[in-house]
Amino acid sequence: MSVGAALEQLLRLIHRRAMRLAALPEDERDSHYDLIRLSCCAAAEHIGQSPDRAALTANDMVEFVRALVGIIEMGGGPDHGRNTDQRPPVRHFGGQENGTTRI
């Protein structure tokens, strides 16, 4: 698997997790954030990070997921309610849809 494909898969996984967390009441989310922190910390140590650095990496990941959950909660835009297992539609710029002509 290429690095790009692995990153895309990881981001989709994080997005799905954040969508599930956003659906939970706030008081039920902390245990899920703790699990994310623990698994991320273990993974970071597994790839060779020191325990201190792994803890920082895991905390950064939890904060990223928390921010994503906040964005999802504030959302409700065109993607609201879409199945999170589907890829988002690709926007093409410079074509008919935005009124310009491609040369």
Side-chain angles (χ1 to χ4, degrees):
M1 176 182 294
S2 72
V3 172
L7 179 59
E8 185 177 333
Q9 187 175 6
L10 178 62
L11 290 173
R12 276 189 267 136
L13 178 126
I14 292 168
H15 182 256
R16 282 193 306 268
R17 176 67 68 92
M19 290 294 288
R20 289 185 195 120
L21 284 168
L24 293 175
E26 283 189 47
D27 61 341
E28 294 180 21
R29 295 177 187 170
D30 284 339
S31 62
H32 294 273
Y33 290 128
D34 289 342
L35 289 173
I36 292 169
R37 184 177 289 106
L38 288 172
S39 62
C40 184
C41 190
E45 285 185 33
H46 180 75
I47 63 168
Q49 286 189 0
S50 70
D52 288 341
R53 182 68 189 137
L56 290 173
T57 298
N59 286 333
D60 288 346
M61 178 60 77
V62 169
E63 290 310 308
F64 176 78
V65 174
R66 282 183 189 273
L68 188 54
V69 168
I71 291 168
I72 292 166
E73 288 179 326
M74 296 297 292
D79 293 339
H80 190 67
R82 187 184 51 153
N83 182 347
T84 59
D85 289 331
Q86 295 177 350
R87 287 186 155 177
V90 177
R91 290 211 47 196
H92 298 280
F93 296 98
Q96 296 276 348
E97 68 187 21
N98 64 6
T100 62
T101 304
R102 184 178 280 180
I103 299 176

